[in-house]
Amino acid sequence: MQLYLPIADLPVNVLLVLAMGAAVGFVSGMFGIGGGFLMTPLLIFIGITPAVAVASVTSHIAASSFSGALSYWRRRAIDPALASVLLCGGVTGTALGVWTFTQLRALGQLDLMIALSYVVLLTTVGSLMFSEGLRALMRTRRGALPPRRTHNWIHGLPLKMRFKRSKIYLSIIPVVVVGIVIGFIGAIMGIGGGFILVPIMIYLLRVPTSTVIGTSMVLTLVTMLFATMLHAATNHLVDAVLALILMIGGVTGAQFGARAGQKIRGEQLRLLLGLLILSVGIRFAIELVIQPSDLFTIRELGVSG
């Protein structure tokens, strides 16, 4: 069944888009992430321009993050103070990212920048997560204890603040910087950034796992909602019809993914997630090198002077 997307300016198979939303929702529910790193490339691969894919997926990520953030809030698994400091940087980074997005689009370099960003980010993060998951799996099989975490130079920075819910005493400088980076990347690439933010908060900032996921979801929710509004107001690229179809599929798939994720051990989940991220990055690289004309759609989408 074909449906015309007004902003994307092309017909799509509704069942295919629903299936994509459900598949990404399943992955999101299984790994506890937004899934934008997977949804945006899939939309590009079926012919939707990178600009529309990025702008539309932000609304999908915001919607999927809302229910998760609400659930963690009820369980008191969110650190309000830490989330507030992260958002100070996240909102700033999102605004800067949307401005950069607009400038690159005006220069005609946006599609190439999005593709290169995905190749570099996903292959790097995927390789690191896959290797870390593999080492953790091998340690578990040998019965070895995980390496002891020690404080690093970040914990010696000034302007420290006590985050009571997370029970940590930490400088606000790296927290704000992390928020800026995640907001900037999310606005340009159409990803919530949870698969980057959670490891950074756990391994660098030493935020306990009891609050890290819920707090990261708050950042994802607010920054993606802000990015959606900015993209809609400045670039007019948010396709509401596409976003609605993705949301329906995503909510359905997430329910099954959450149940599947509970049956898999943590190190196995990290290994699978790293492999998935690495696979998407490699696929993007292959498309970029071998068939760049198929990856990008050279259509203008109403750039007003």
Side-chain angles (χ1 to χ4, degrees), residues 29-253:
M30 177 180 288
F31 298 114
I33 56 177
F37 75 93
L38 185 58
M39 180 59 74
T40 302
L42 288 176
L43 292 177
I44 294 173
F45 292 152
I46 67 170
I48 294 175
T49 56
V52 173
V54 167
S56 301
V57 166
T58 55
S59 60
H60 171 256
I61 298 172
S64 62
S65 299
F66 176 75
S67 60
L70 187 62
S71 174
Y72 279 99
W73 177 265
R74 288 172 177 169
R75 289 156 46 191
R76 297 179 61 83
I78 293 176
D79 189 325
L82 182 58
S84 299
V85 178
L86 278 170
L87 285 171
C88 290
V91 171
T92 303
T94 301
L96 182 60
V98 172
W99 179 83
T100 305
F101 183 100
T102 305
Q103 298 303 310
L104 289 172
R105 184 170 175 243
L107 295 172
Q109 301 298 317
L110 179 62
D111 290 0
L112 178 61
M113 180 58 66
I114 290 174
L116 290 176
S117 298
Y118 264 99
V119 171
V120 173
L121 181 64
L122 296 188
T123 52
T124 301
V125 174
S127 299
L128 292 174
M129 291 188 70
F130 179 78
S131 60
E132 193 278 332
L134 189 59
R135 288 195 300 269
L137 188 62
M138 296 300 293
R139 283 197 304 268
T140 302
R141 289 185 175 179
R142 293 196 306 265
L145 295 175
R148 186 179 179 182
R149 296 178 185 175
T150 57
H151 287 289
N152 51 43
W153 61 270
I154 290 177
H155 293 80
L157 294 175
L159 299 177
K160 290 187 176 182
M161 177 177 175
R162 194 171 300 281
F163 300 99
K164 295 182 179 179
R165 185 70 59 83
S166 297
K167 299 179 181 178
I168 56 174
Y169 187 53
L170 181 68
S171 170
I172 65 171
I173 297 175
V175 180
V176 172
V177 170
V178 167
I180 291 174
V181 172
I182 297 298
F184 182 81
I185 292 174
I188 291 183
M189 298 179 63
I191 58 176
F195 69 99
I196 305 173
L197 178 60
V198 170
I200 288 177
M201 291 176 69
I202 291 175
Y203 295 112
L204 291 183
L205 304 185
R206 299 291 188 258
V207 179
T209 54
S210 59
T211 59
V212 70
I213 296 180
T215 305
S216 72
M217 280 190 171
V218 172
L219 178 65
T220 299
L221 169 62
V222 176
T223 55
M224 290 295 96
L225 186 60
F226 187 44
T228 299
M229 294 188 295
L230 289 180
H231 278 306
T234 60
N235 298 307
H236 311 290
L237 292 174
V238 178
D239 196 308
V241 176
L242 174 61
L244 179 60
I245 298 173
L246 293 175
M247 287 178 198
I248 294 173
V251 170
T252 304

Side-chain angles (χ1 to χ4, degrees), residues 273-295:
L273 180 58
L275 184 60
L276 179 62
I277 295 172
L278 181 59
S279 300
V280 176
I282 292 174
R283 171 65 192 276
F284 237 113
I286 293 173
E287 291 285 342
L288 186 62
V289 173
I290 298 178
Q291 294 178 315
S293 60
D294 291 341
L295 182 60

Side-chain angles (χ1 to χ4, degrees), residues 2-12 14 239 241-242 245 299:
Q2 296 289 318
L3 179 67
Y4 180 76
L5 302 177
I7 303 299
D9 192 26
L10 84 165
V12 295
V14 177
D239 196 308
V241 176
L242 174 61
I245 298 173
R299 286 186 288 118

